[in-house]
Amino acid sequence: MKIDKVQEKIKRENLSSFFVSSRPNVFYLSRFRSSNAFILLTCDRKFFITDSRYFEAAKEKLKEWELILLGKDNKNQIEHLRQILNEYGGKKIGFEEDRTTISFYKKIVNKEGKKENRLKGELIGYAGFFDEFRISKTEEEINIIREAVLKTDRVFEKIIDYIPKAKNELDLRREIINRIFIEGGTGESFPAIVASGKNSAVPHHETSYSKIEKNSPVLVDMGMVYEGYCSDFTRVIFYGRVDPEIQKIYEIVKEAHLRSVEKVKAGVPVREIDETARSVIRKHGYGDYFTHSTGHGVGIEIHEPPRVSEKSEEILQENTVITIEPGIYIPEKGGVRLENIVVATKNGYEILTKTPLEKIHIK
């Protein structure tokens, strides 16, 4: 990450500094993970602020940063943050209004406090301040995501044989989590969805104690965090004999998936990718049963811009990493969603997910 590009934007926006408080953006800028850390960027300085639990590790890793020990000399941390902003933040301080609670904002400003204890500068809110930097991944970021995706493929390969042994959906999720750690992940990128039978008709079914019944579809939507980046993956397994209509919609979703992937290329309007998948599903008479967007960006967070939807007004940028995940969901019967991670390139796309899209049958 080129900090100087962010500092150029700070200058362009006529800001004195920018205060970063969200974990994802603190990690993005510093590559340092902490549950309690902040960053203050000025046009020519960069401060990393964290408490005593992380300070020594940060000092070791962040050699090019100015480090500030938060709460030094037993200072109240909010008051200390305000002091830091007063000392280094200047008159116009940008902040992440879309990631800041009202409570935290009020405490930092301290408008009702004594005049000498208030924030001296003006806080100016921005939504998506870092999106323009994060949306197009670096080669390093893509390589990390590629590795996360390959590890997720291996997790899926290992859990297929466990399905007949699973006591229920949650038991299968437990096996997924175990495999994520075996593969070197640091956890789930979101709570894995295991949806069997008619539960697969609920796009974001909450994995439950429902028994995985034979002769039904089993939808598995999962991802891992690896070196700070997320993967996302969905397949449907046919456990025993499955309703012919579910098998039919599998092929329709597969067609929609493949056609929309073919549309991926830097410079393409994002909504055209969504419309391509949607038109295939409409053509087969299931348009009303595709109830979500075709995909989303993936990176440090599991959902990042752009949203691959019919309402998107964005143009796909080179090296943007997105999911392609059309689906059809028939209430009380079952559903199918097929999801791969794809990178938009100058000349087209690269599919990072290697698990085939062909039907998977187990007895």
Side-chain angles (χ1 to χ4, degrees):
M1 170 59 206
K2 296 286 188 180
I3 297 288
D4 56 343
K5 297 291 184 185
V6 179
Q7 290 173 319
E8 285 173 14
K9 182 175 181 179
I10 292 169
K11 191 172 183 178
R12 213 165 48 240
E13 293 291 329
N14 198 29
L15 296 170
S16 309
S17 63
F18 199 94
F19 178 56
V20 187
S21 58
S22 68
R23 280 197 207 179
N25 283 326
V26 167
F27 175 74
Y28 176 68
L29 294 167
S30 68
R31 290 298 187 269
F32 187 87
R33 281 187 282 272
S34 168
S35 64
N36 189 33
F38 306 88
I39 283 173
L40 181 65
L41 295 176
T42 69
C43 293
D44 56 3
R45 299 177 76 176
K46 52 184 185 180
F47 299 93
F48 189 88
I49 308 156
T50 192
D51 65 37
S52 58
R53 295 172 298 169
Y54 303 98
F55 187 76
E56 291 302 320
K59 192 165 63 173
E60 182 65 29
K61 185 173 182 180
L62 304 178
K63 302 289 188 183
E64 297 178 359
W65 290 72
E66 296 183 65
L67 265 64
I68 298 176
L69 175 58
L70 186 61
K72 188 179 180 182
D73 300 324
N74 295 318
K75 291 179 183 175
N76 176 285
Q77 289 195 359
I78 291 290
E79 289 178 5
H80 194 192
L81 277 175
R82 194 184 311 116
Q83 289 174 13
I84 294 165
L85 293 175
N86 283 340
E87 185 172 354
Y88 302 110
K91 292 181 179 179
K92 292 184 177 181
I93 307 168
F95 79 102
E96 303 171 281
E97 68 176 10
D98 54 336
R99 295 172 179 264
T100 302
T101 65
I102 294 173
S103 172
F104 183 74
Y105 172 85
K106 286 182 175 179
K107 288 175 182 177
I108 289 292
V109 174
N110 196 29
K111 191 175 180 180
E112 305 302 321
K114 293 180 180 180
K115 189 173 181 179
E116 62 269 21
N117 293 330
R118 296 177 192 172
L119 185 68
K120 295 174 183 175
E122 176 189 6
L123 279 182
I124 301 170
Y126 285 82
F129 187 85
F130 297 99
D131 287 356
E132 66 183 88
F133 307 106
R134 287 179 55 178
I135 202 166
S136 181
K137 271 52 178 180
T138 63
E139 184 179 350
E140 178 191 11
E141 289 179 300
I142 291 171
N143 284 336
I144 294 171
I145 296 170
R146 181 182 287 111
E147 189 64 25
V149 171
L150 290 175
K151 288 176 178 292
T152 304
D153 283 337
R154 289 201 289 266
V155 170
F156 180 69
E157 183 183 353
K158 295 295 184 183
I159 61 107
I160 292 173
D161 291 339
Y162 188 78
I163 289 173
K165 306 172 192 173
K167 298 172 185 175
N168 49 51
E169 292 173 349
L170 279 167
D171 186 32
L172 182 55
R173 183 185 167 206
R174 178 195 59 76
E175 183 67 13
I176 289 169
I177 295 169
N178 185 43
R179 289 289 171 183
I180 284 172
F181 285 112
I182 289 172
E183 285 294 335
T186 54
E188 297 176 286
S189 51
F190 59 93
I193 297 169
V194 177
S196 59
K198 65 181 182 180
N199 290 342
S200 62
V202 181
H204 273 197
H205 167 68
E206 186 174 345
T207 305
S208 68
Y209 285 104
S210 294
K211 188 176 179 182
I212 298 177
E213 299 283 357
K214 197 167 183 180
N215 301 322
S216 65
V218 181
L219 185 150
V220 175
D221 186 349
M222 63 180 185
M224 73 162 66
V225 178
Y226 174 73
E227 293 190 6
Y229 285 79
C230 298
S231 66
D232 201 353
F233 171 98
T234 308
R235 288 294 186 274
V236 171
I237 302 105
F238 292 150
Y239 181 23
R241 296 179 181 177
V242 175
D243 187 292
E245 187 173 18
I246 301 299
Q247 300 205 43
K248 175 186 173 183
I249 66 172
Y250 188 102
E251 294 302 327
I252 296 169
V253 171
K254 179 182 172 183
E255 181 187 350
H257 179 103
L258 291 171
R259 296 292 80 78
S260 55
V261 168
E262 289 172 356
K263 197 71 180 175
V264 174
K265 183 180 179 181
V268 169
V270 172
R271 65 175 174 272
E272 290 185 10
I273 301 168
D274 180 89
E275 175 54 28
T276 299
R278 214 166 288 281
S279 64
V280 171
I281 292 172
R282 276 199 306 264
K283 176 183 73 176
H284 290 281
Y286 287 93
D288 291 341
Y289 299 95
F290 180 17
T291 56
H292 55 74
S293 62
T294 297
H296 55 84
V298 179
I300 290 169
E301 295 172 280
I302 191 61
H303 291 108
E304 296 188 356
R307 186 169 179 235
V308 186
S309 79
E310 55 193 336
K311 295 180 181 178
S312 174
E313 297 182 357
E314 296 177 85
I315 301 297
L316 196 59
Q317 295 184 34
E318 187 176 357
N319 294 333
T320 297
V321 180
I322 60 173
T323 67
I324 299 292
E325 49 178 307
I328 296 174
Y329 311 91
I330 303 173
E332 298 301 314
K333 182 172 280 191
V336 172
R337 180 167 65 254
L338 299 173
E339 177 181 24
N340 284 345
I341 286 186
V342 181
V343 182
T345 66
K346 183 192 286 187
N347 299 315
Y349 58 85
E350 179 190 354
I351 302 171
L352 299 188
T353 309
K354 301 306 179 187
T355 300
L357 288 170
E358 282 67 33
K359 290 178 184 173
I360 300 169
H361 292 267
I362 57 173
K363 295 181 180 180

